[in-house]
Amino acid sequence: MATEIGAGMREEIARELERIRREVLMAKQELRDRFEYYFGVLREKHLEMEARLDEVVRVAETRVVDRQTQLNQLRITKAEVSQNLVHNKLNETLVNVSRELDEKIQGLEAIVDQVPSVWLEWRDEWLVGGMAELCVVCEGVSYVNRHNPVCSGVNRGRGQNEISNPWGLSTDRHNGDVYVCDFVAARIQVFSREGIHQRTISLQGLSYPIEITVTPHQLFVSCIPFCLLKLDKLSGSILCSVKTEDGICGLSADTDTLYVGMRSSNQICHHSLEDLTTIRVTTLNSPHITQHTIL
């Protein structure tokens, strides 16, 4: 009897354990199914969120590119506006300058209309034999005698009876001949009192004369580059020369001394007529020399 009871209880326990085991298996399967379900849901959500993030990033990048493009366009526009402003200011300045030049040209034209058609390039007054002579060198006119106002038509140029660029002039006190420094042509043109061409003294392109003074037997000429020449009046040959450190702005001579005005140093140098050696130097307290004449 006891054995039967024990066997029944074992069977019952075994059935209960089997039931419990099946329930555990079912619970495990249910948990596994739920896990797989929720994992799938989460995976779909994750993929959806990644897609949304990718879209957001794409939109943001597009907006950044658009903003960068707009910024570059604004910079280009700003540069163009600045350039246009500069051009407008330059154009305005050019217009104002052109207007001022036009006004000055009109003023000069009005002045020119009021003077003779001959344009004087250089003029000076000299005493010739005690009589005042007005020697004028200009285009179309070489010499005017105050007491005999007859113009000799000398043209501009480098021909024998022409003057290309008159600079300085002097007159011979003995016969009234006029000596004209023709700067560009590197020569000295000699005209009579009546304006007739006498001869040409060529410096052979070595020096360009700017000032001249005449003594009974010699000519004294200041040239560029800075130098002082002594020439024979008849032959025109160079007797001696000295270099100067300053621009010469005037020449005059008496019986034994050559007086040379020095522009920048504001001095008058006294030179010997014989060999152009410096005898002494006189410094002036007046403003800088522009031209001097010793009579």
Side-chain angles (χ1 to χ4, degrees):
M1 185 70 177
T3 302
E4 293 178 357
I5 293 173
M9 289 181 65
R10 282 196 296 272
E11 290 177 1
E12 178 127 6
I13 289 171
R15 284 195 296 272
E16 186 65 24
L17 287 174
E18 181 65 23
R19 185 184 64 77
I20 291 172
R21 188 180 66 80
R22 285 195 300 269
E23 288 180 357
V24 169
L25 291 174
M26 291 176 63
K28 285 183 178 181
Q29 185 63 38
E30 184 177 357
L31 287 174
R32 187 177 293 109
D33 293 340
R34 288 185 178 181
F35 175 77
E36 290 179 357
Y37 171 74
Y38 287 117
F39 180 77
V41 172
L42 289 175
R43 188 168 180 276
E44 291 178 359
K45 294 292 185 183
H46 176 72
L47 294 175
E48 183 180 352
M49 289 298 295
E50 282 187 348
R52 293 181 62 185
L53 284 174
D54 290 340
E55 181 65 20
V56 170
V57 171
R58 187 186 64 79
V59 172
E61 289 179 348
T62 302
R63 291 181 178 178
V64 169
V65 172
D66 292 340
R67 293 294 185 272
Q68 188 66 36
T69 303
Q70 294 177 2
L71 180 60
N72 292 337
Q73 187 63 39
L74 288 175
R75 287 174 178 170
I76 294 174
T77 304
K78 179 183 177 182
E80 291 176 352
V81 170
S82 300
Q83 189 174 6
N84 290 333
L85 288 176
V86 172
H87 287 168
N88 290 336
K89 290 182 179 179
L90 289 176
N91 290 334
E92 183 178 355
T93 303
L94 290 175
V95 169
N96 293 333
V97 171
S98 177
R99 186 181 299 111
E100 292 177 0
L101 289 176
D102 290 339
E103 292 176 355
K104 290 181 179 180
I105 290 173
Q106 292 176 0
L108 291 175
E109 289 177 347
I111 294 174
V112 170
D113 291 339
Q114 298 174 3
V115 299
S117 57
V118 176
W119 177 55
L120 300 183
E121 291 223 11
W122 202 97
R123 64 182 181 182
D124 196 6
E125 288 188 1
W126 303 81
L127 289 177
V128 182
M131 298 184 298
E133 303 283 353
L134 177 63
C135 302
V136 180
V137 179
C138 59
E139 182 177 3
V141 177
S142 64
Y143 182 72
V144 178
N145 186 319
R146 178 175 297 175
H147 302 285
N148 184 21
V150 177
C151 300
S152 62
V154 177
N155 297 322
R156 175 176 294 177
R158 299 194 181 189
Q160 181 180 7
N161 192 31
E162 296 176 335
I163 301 176
S164 61
N165 190 280
W167 196 276
L169 61 81
S170 180
T171 54
D172 190 332
R173 298 173 184 268
H174 299 280
N175 57 17
D177 285 350
V178 181
Y179 292 74
V180 182
C181 293
D182 197 353
F183 177 77
V184 174
R187 65 185 182 180
I188 298 169
Q189 292 285 66
V190 184
F191 296 90
S192 67
R193 178 185 295 271
E194 292 75 23
I196 301 173
H197 180 262
Q198 301 295 306
R199 65 185 184 277
T200 297
I201 301 174
S202 175
L203 300 180
Q204 301 177 355
L206 301 177
S207 301
Y208 299 90
I210 55 175
E211 296 283 349
I212 185 171
T213 190
V214 182
T215 65
H217 302 289
Q218 291 91 25
L219 305 175
F220 295 90
V221 185
S222 65
C223 304
I224 294 176
F226 296 151
C227 66
L228 186 62
L229 303 179
K230 175 183 176 181
L231 284 71
D232 183 81
K233 188 165 69 171
L234 296 178
S235 66
S237 59
I238 298 176
L239 302 177
C240 63
S241 65
V242 294
K243 292 184 178 180
T244 61
E245 297 180 356
D246 193 2
I248 296 176
C249 60
L251 294 176
S252 292
D254 56 17
T255 56
D256 58 358
T257 305
L258 175 68
Y259 303 90
V260 181
M262 312 303 291
R263 187 183 307 276
S264 300
S265 59
N266 201 32
Q267 296 175 333
I268 295 179
C269 296
H270 303 241
H271 294 269
S272 168
L273 293 183
E274 183 65 25
D275 55 5
L276 297 181
T277 56
T278 303
I279 300 174
R280 69 177 187 275
V281 176
T282 302
T283 301
L284 303 180
N285 295 323
S286 60
H288 288 302
I289 301 171
T290 57
Q291 186 172 4
H292 79 283
T293 302
I294 309 297
L295 300 177

